[in-house]
Amino acid sequence: MLGGKGEFLFTFRDYPYFKCPKLLNYYCLITMGYHLGSCYPMVVSAKKNDILEMSLHHLACLGCYLTCYLVNLPGLICVVNFIHDIADVTMNIARGLSETTFKNSSAIIFVFNQAVWGYTRLYVLPCLCYTLFFQAKDFAGPMLHVEFLYILGFLQACLICLHAYWWVMFVQILLSFAKSGKAEDTIGKIESNKDQAKEKI
């Protein structure tokens, strides 16, 4: 689905006795540390308007990492994380350019990002989720407990719902830019003290 010759099911081949490359383990640990470290600012920093969505996102991600390590499937979580990393590249480029005078370039890259986001996170990821629910057990054999696959599938389904929600918000940002020439990224925006006071009232 990403243009290569591999198959997602190969991450379950020879389970549980397959050999995992060291670089794969390093990639898994580094990305897990990133998600774990991202939880700290949410707790101690200023309140943001997307704290609930990001909390669910980080909990689902860390749950996927923990589950994959418990059943010795680091390759699986690396594939899922790599799918997420693809869209993050263009997203960060677009956000960086939006802080400069190159607004049109930022918009073009942002449109490209939406295509990448939609394909990787709203098409490829659901296909992998389907594989977890219905195909992985037969390929992996009796040593892999199906309960872990269902847990992983559920956590991936939570991520897919969040990705769809954010994708709709991104489309709204694009429409706002097309109409007024201005676009505000409200995702992750820090609420002011006045906004917080209004909520309490």
Side-chain angles (χ1 to χ4, degrees), residues 46-187:
K47 182 181 177 183
K48 296 184 179 181
N49 61 358
D50 65 342
I51 187 169
L52 292 178
E53 296 95 328
M54 292 308 299
S55 297
L56 177 59
H57 179 270
H58 289 315
L59 287 175
C61 287
L62 292 174
C64 288
Y65 279 105
L66 179 62
T67 306
C68 285
Y69 262 105
L70 285 175
V71 297
N72 193 28
L73 284 172
L76 188 153
I77 193 62
C78 286
V79 170
V80 173
N81 196 71
F82 179 73
I83 290 171
H84 287 73
D85 287 345
I86 295 173
D88 283 344
V89 174
T90 49
M91 175 61 73
N92 290 326
I93 293 174
R95 281 183 171 172
L97 288 175
S98 68
E99 300 298 326
T100 66
T101 57
F102 303 105
K103 304 295 183 183
N104 292 332
S105 299
S106 175
I108 293 171
I109 294 177
F110 192 68
V111 170
F112 177 71
N113 173 263
Q114 294 315 290
V116 174
W117 182 291
Y119 181 73
T120 56
R121 300 192 183 194
L122 300 180
Y123 173 69
V124 176
L125 193 59
C127 290
L128 301 188
C129 191
Y130 175 86
T131 301
L132 286 175
F133 275 114
F134 301 107
Q135 299 176 340
K137 175 62 178 176
D138 296 331
F139 195 85
M143 294 291 288
L144 182 59
H145 293 284
V146 70
E147 294 83 6
F148 287 105
L149 294 177
Y150 291 158
I151 292 172
L152 280 170
F154 171 75
L155 293 173
Q156 293 300 321
C158 291
L159 292 175
I160 292 168
C161 291
L162 285 171
H163 296 328
Y165 170 72
W166 285 325
W167 192 77
V168 171
M169 293 185 71
F170 293 149
V171 171
Q172 291 174 348
I173 292 173
L174 278 176
L175 293 176
S176 174
F177 180 80
K179 290 180 179 179
S180 63
K182 296 180 181 180
E184 183 180 2
D185 184 4
T186 58
I187 300 174

